[in-house]
Amino acid sequence: MLQVGNLGAQAGEKTFGYLETAASRSGIRLDIPVHLIAGAEPGPTLMLQGAIHGAEIIGSIAILDFVAKADPAAIRGNVIAVPVVNRAGFELGTRGSNVDDKDISRLFPGNKNGSVSDQTAHIYFQETITQADVLIDFHAGARTAYERYVLFTAEEDPDNLSLMEQRRRKLVVAFGLDQAAFFPPGTFGSGASKIAIEEVNTLQITLEFGGGTGWFRNGEDNVRDAERGIWNIMKAMGMIDGELEADGPLCTVYEAGVVIWKPAVDGLFIRDSKFRDELKAGDVYGRLVDPYTGELLAEMPTPKDGIVIPSGQEWPTVGATSIGILGSIDRVEDRRAMDLSVSFD
């Protein structure tokens, strides 16, 4: 039997309910919606997670589309599907939780004696993530950036991969996108949550999918390919039968180590470079101008050569933030030459 909190599913059954988490001092509840799909035959457990950043919803839609189609009778193993983790952020269209101004994705394994988000992270982590063999964590560019790649944790020693790293290399390619990326250690903080997830032997891949101010123009294709990726991962894990579907035979893997930070001036952000542009050191990535006079306030050159991966920012752009990430090609994987099956026996 598959069990999350008070919600359960017997073999061959699909159920829905809410994982009870924590309430604010004023009584606001942040209980998390959970779909359970218990396959008719034994197998690994896949977890799908959307909108842990509340405004990033491509994955949420793809998860719901997947759940509607999934047939427990045809599945080996279990699926825990959470379309919206961060309900407070989702309902207000914000990245974090306005209840206590925290980012749940940075809090794992959580703290049962902390704030509402700390408690929520603790309960959610214990009840769901610790059960999963693989976690697909869907993110997006929200209203600011257009992104389309599989993000994964940097490997400690690429010439001597751990079992988890070997499996992750396969699943990154099996998902089906033509781009993947990793950040060098320390690029964006300590990565404590990712470490906590790996310490319970859960393999995580993160999807950065869609977004931008015109995200709806690309929304249908991105939702389709996000759902396609879920089915692909299940095929690679042996949970269902079928051939993988992909953007093409190749997946380019980037070391995404060049972050362009906004200077200490606020203004209207003008992007001079776009997704997949190749830049040389010193090329102007973007500018900040006075939104009322048009006066140039600052230029933002790239410090190193690189290819634009995510690109974008809100208008006007205020406060300390990254406005772009560039990567260099680490390797190109050829799906035709790889065995992308992953066993969790």
Side-chain angles (χ1 to χ4, degrees), residues 181-193:
F182 63 90
F183 294 130
T187 302
F188 288 106
S190 65
S193 281

Side-chain angles (χ1 to χ4, degrees), residues 144-145 260-263 265-273 284-291 297-300 310-318 321-324:
T144 62
I260 302 175
W261 297 94
K262 175 185 166 295
V265 60
D266 298 333
L268 179 65
F269 173 58
I270 307 296
R271 186 192 299 109
D272 292 308
S273 301
V284 175
Y285 173 83
R287 295 164 286 139
L288 287 171
V289 302
D290 185 302
L297 302 175
E299 289 185 334
M300 288 155 283
S311 175
Q313 194 44 249
E314 292 273 24
W315 296 273
T317 302
V318 178
T321 183
S322 63
I323 60 159

Side-chain angles (χ1 to χ4, degrees), residues 5-297:
N6 294 323
L7 180 65
Q10 300 286 347
E13 186 179 16
K14 184 191 302 187
T15 61
F16 171 77
Y18 289 87
L19 173 63
E20 295 183 3
T21 56
S24 70
R25 291 186 179 90
S26 62
I28 298 173
R29 294 209 60 86
L30 301 175
D31 298 341
I32 297 173
V34 179
H35 297 263
L36 298 182
I37 304 171
E41 298 181 39
T45 296
L46 173 64
M47 182 172 170
L48 311 174
Q49 174 177 287
I52 200 166
H53 291 152
E56 302 176 13
I57 64 171
I58 292 289
S60 303
I61 303 169
I63 290 170
L64 291 174
D65 287 349
F66 163 79
V67 168
K69 298 172 187 175
D71 178 7
I75 293 174
R76 294 179 285 271
N78 301 309
V79 181
I80 302 171
V82 183
V84 175
V85 179
N86 176 13
R87 286 182 65 187
F90 172 76
E91 293 181 11
L92 295 173
T94 60
R95 176 184 174 90
S97 172
N98 286 5
V99 175
D100 55 9
D101 198 30
K102 290 186 176 180
D103 182 343
I104 295 173
S105 74
R106 303 290 191 266
L107 301 178
F108 297 133
N111 180 354
K112 63 182 178 180
N113 298 314
S115 70
V116 173
S117 291
D118 291 312
Q119 294 177 53
T120 297
H122 170 73
I123 295 169
Y124 179 70
F125 183 84
Q126 295 298 328
E127 291 289 342
T128 63
I129 292 175
T130 58
Q131 294 197 60
D133 293 295
V134 174
L135 167 61
I136 305 179
D137 180 22
F138 283 99
H139 290 252
R143 292 184 295 268
T144 62
Y146 182 79
E147 308 183 8
R148 197 175 192 277
Y149 56 97
V150 186
L151 181 65
F152 63 100
T153 303
E155 298 158 352
E156 291 191 12
D157 180 0
D159 296 322
N160 186 26
L161 299 176
S162 68
L163 177 59
M164 180 175 288
E165 290 170 339
Q166 292 173 34
R167 289 169 168 168
R168 182 157 43 216
R169 275 207 178 192
K170 291 186 176 185
L171 293 183
V172 163
V173 178
F175 190 89
L177 296 190
D178 60 2
Q179 291 197 131
F182 63 90
F183 294 130
T187 302
F188 288 106
S190 65
S193 281
K194 290 184 178 180
I195 292 171
I197 291 169
E198 292 187 0
E199 285 179 345
V200 296
N201 205 33
T202 298
L203 187 164
Q204 178 182 11
I205 60 173
T206 298
L207 272 297
E208 294 287 358
F209 230 128
T213 54
W215 77 267
F216 57 89
R217 296 186 60 186
N218 305 299
E220 183 176 355
D221 290 348
N222 281 308
V223 169
R224 178 201 64 204
D225 291 345
E227 183 192 344
R228 178 191 72 184
I230 295 171
W231 295 109
N232 278 345
I233 293 298
M234 292 181 69
K235 292 170 186 175
M237 294 173 66
M239 298 178 71
I240 59 172
D241 298 323
E243 297 295 322
L244 299 182
E245 301 177 22
D247 290 346
L250 304 180
C251 179
T252 302
V253 179
Y254 295 92
E255 178 180 342
V258 180
V259 182
I260 302 175
W261 297 94
K262 175 185 166 295
V265 60
D266 298 333
L268 179 65
F269 173 58
I270 307 296
R271 186 192 299 109
D272 292 308
S273 301
K274 62 182 183 298
F275 187 60
R276 288 182 173 170
D277 278 356
E278 297 185 19
L279 302 182
K280 298 295 184 182
D283 287 349
V284 175
Y285 173 83
R287 295 164 286 139
L288 287 171
V289 302
D290 185 302
Y292 308 114
T293 68
E295 175 190 1
L296 178 64
L297 302 175

